Amino acid sequence: MLVVAALAWHTHAYGQSQRDLPPPAARDSLDFHSFLQSAIKYEPILYDSALYFAQKALELATERQEKRWLLRAVGLIGQIRLNMGDESTALQFYFQSANLSAQLADNSQLGKSFYQIGAINEHAGNVTEAQGYFVEALAAFRAIDNKLEMANTFNALGHL
């Protein structure tokens, strides 16, 4: 009798826990944000761990075909790669971020992507290219009236 009661309780509890789970799309969202937050947490100190979690977020975003998630993941991977000193790979991810930002009409992220592309070009000594990307960043920030980012971009232009 005790075994039957325990089995009945387990079956009820298992069924209850299955009903309490969020739907698959919500679980994917939780997973994506968990991966992204882990990457952000580790980014300042453990680049390899940060890159691992950011790539997991990118995989999930690609699988779900979520452009906003893709935008966040590629931007973060660009940042991590830049901080690792891998400017050429960072540049590729910033270009992807710029393309996605343009598709999504996200001027904030578009400006940030162009700014980083400009900064990488400046560091490489490509002043003319850097200037062009800083001007593009400035236009994106002007479109959303982001005065702080506009000031930072003017500052970067002044240093050229």
Side-chain angles (χ1 to χ4, degrees), residues 41-116:
K41 175 184 171 187
Y42 289 119
E43 193 270 329
I45 51 173
L46 299 170
Y47 297 136
D48 291 335
S49 295
L51 189 58
Y52 170 81
F53 286 114
Q55 287 172 331
K56 286 295 202 185
L58 180 61
E59 289 171 16
L60 186 56
T62 302
E63 178 184 310
R64 296 280 296 150
Q65 298 179 358
E66 291 281 348
K67 285 190 177 184
R68 292 239 173 249
W69 292 4
L70 281 168
L71 177 59
R72 293 184 68 191
V74 297
L76 184 56
I77 291 173
Q79 177 183 331
I80 294 166
R81 287 294 189 176
L82 183 60
N83 289 338
M84 291 173 77
D86 186 358
E87 291 182 352
S88 63
T89 304
L91 200 55
Q92 293 171 7
F93 280 97
Y94 283 128
F95 276 119
Q96 286 180 31
S97 178
N99 287 335
L100 284 167
S101 299
Q103 290 174 24
L104 295 169
D106 185 337
N107 281 319
S108 177
Q109 192 59 45
L110 182 62
K112 290 174 186 176
S113 298
F114 281 145
Y115 184 94
Q116 291 296 1

Side-chain angles (χ1 to χ4, degrees), residues 6 26 28-29 31 46-47 55 73 79 83 100 130 133 135 141 145-146:
D28 285 350
S29 179
D31 288 345
L46 299 170
Y47 297 136
Q55 287 172 331
Q79 177 183 331
N83 289 338
L100 284 167
Y133 286 109
V135 168
F141 293 136
D145 198 34
N146 187 331

